Amino acid sequence: MAKKIIVANWKMKLSVEESLRLASLVDLGISNKKNEVIVCPDFLSLPLIGVSLGATNFSLGAQDSAVEEKAAATGEVSASNLKELGAEYVILGHSERRLRQCEDDNVLKLKIQTALKAGLKVIFCVGESLSEREAGRASSFIKKQLRNSLKSLALKKSTDIIIAYEPIWAIGSGKTIDPLEANKMAGIIEGEAEKILGKKIKVLYGGSVDVKNSSDFLKQKNISGLLVGGASLKAEEFIAICNN
Ligand code: PGA
């Protein structure tokens, strides 16, 4: 079976010390390199994990990067500085940022362009709310998110973008979508992304993934991996997910 991509999104849940401890446990636990693992710590822990700890069995990703390359933008963090300090990936469009920081499709389009230009690969999150799903509009809503943020993007390689399908109502809620429905949505996303970008893009599933349900998602044909939040904070559980 082809290697899957397992992404850990630690959000703002750990101290720097806890991040370093968890990173070294994960690094040890996945030394068989069964799947490709990307760990996304907070901005401050990222260079310490990459440079000081020298973790080698996973790649590093940031949880956000700025719209501009360089600007009078107090408090923002540039994609190129993240790259300089060891990040290979950046998560953009996570629903928590869409909601809390009011990031819309247009802002995300600019962020994606800037991150790619800096040489980062983008993990772009899309997903519908419960009301969109209940109204039968989940797929049209997501297609619009994809079109608005990816249209006319010149992508050099198909691996420069990964799309994470994360139904908002499944994030941190303990409620997961039926793996067959997630597979159907991932297929729709893959088809739409190919129409827009002219390339075959990998699609991950995220939202209340844990050690028990992870294999049900990973065996789906259209799902190339997982974006894991809560369960990525527990070393043993996350290592078990990575070693699926
Ligand atoms: P969760 O988070 O696994 O805790 O639901 C996923 C995410 O927010 O990316």
Side-chain angles (χ1 to χ4, degrees):
M1 209 171 60
K3 279 194 182 188
K4 301 280 182 168
I5 300 168
I6 315 289
V7 184
N9 177 9
W10 290 352
K11 310 192 180 184
M12 201 184 71
K13 298 264 190 149
L14 301 174
S15 70
V16 173
E17 201 187 318
E18 286 164 342
S19 301
L20 283 166
R21 203 175 319 130
L22 181 56
S24 57
L25 288 173
V26 169
D27 195 38
L28 263 174
I30 59 164
S31 56
N32 59 8
K33 301 208 177 173
K34 197 145 178 241
N35 290 301
E36 194 188 329
V37 178
I38 303 163
V39 172
C40 303
D42 71 350
F43 287 137
L44 298 175
S45 309
L46 189 144
L48 295 177
I49 293 172
V51 180
S52 315
L53 190 74
T56 52
N57 295 317
F58 54 78
S59 308
L60 281 168
Q63 297 173 18
D64 180 45
S65 58
V67 168
E68 300 96 341
E69 287 174 49
K70 273 203 169 92
T74 305
E76 291 293 295
V77 175
S78 72
S80 56
N81 278 6
L82 289 165
K83 172 83 182 166
E84 199 178 326
L85 288 181
E88 276 182 56
Y89 291 87
V90 60
I91 298 173
L92 292 174
H94 192 285
S95 60
E96 284 155 12
R97 291 198 61 87
R98 287 183 190 260
L99 204 73
R100 297 170 64 108
Q101 273 76 26
C102 305
E103 292 187 351
D104 64 17
D105 294 346
N106 294 327
V107 162
L108 291 169
K109 182 173 183 164
L110 297 172
K111 286 194 171 197
I112 293 170
Q113 286 169 341
T114 306
L116 290 173
K117 204 167 161 202
L120 291 176
K121 293 179 206 154
V122 173
I123 302 164
F124 180 52
C125 302
V126 295
E128 81 284 359
S129 64
L130 192 57
S131 59
E132 296 289 348
R133 173 151 289 269
E134 283 173 350
R137 287 195 300 260
S139 56
S140 58
F141 180 81
I142 287 168
K143 282 183 184 175
K144 196 163 150 238
Q145 285 185 320
L146 292 169
R147 273 196 308 273
N148 287 347
S149 294
L150 303 182
K151 208 174 59 194
S152 61
L153 196 70
L155 209 59
K156 287 200 193 108
K157 285 195 266 156
S158 61
T159 48
D160 286 345
I161 283 198
I162 300 167
I163 295 170
Y165 169 54
E166 297 206 300
I168 299 172
W169 48 274
I171 295 176
S173 64
K175 288 187 213 136
T176 48
I177 191 166
D178 182 324
L180 295 176
E181 177 64 13
N183 185 54
K184 191 185 106 193
M185 295 300 290
I188 291 170
I189 291 168
E190 201 183 270
E192 189 66 18
E194 188 164 6
K195 247 194 253 166
I196 302 166
L197 298 167
K199 292 197 165 54
K200 215 167 167 57
I201 305 294
K202 288 192 170 162
V203 182
L204 315 181
Y205 169 74
S208 296
V209 170
D210 60 25
V211 68
K212 289 192 226 88
N213 62 28
S214 54
S215 61
D216 295 335
F217 290 106
L218 288 174
K219 62 182 178 232
Q220 303 301 324
K221 180 171 137 289
N222 301 323
I223 296 179
S224 296
L226 303 167
L227 176 45
V228 189
S232 72
L233 300 171
K234 299 169 222 150
E236 216 177 299
E237 178 160 14
F238 184 64
I239 290 165
I241 294 173
C242 293
N243 290 335
N244 248 301

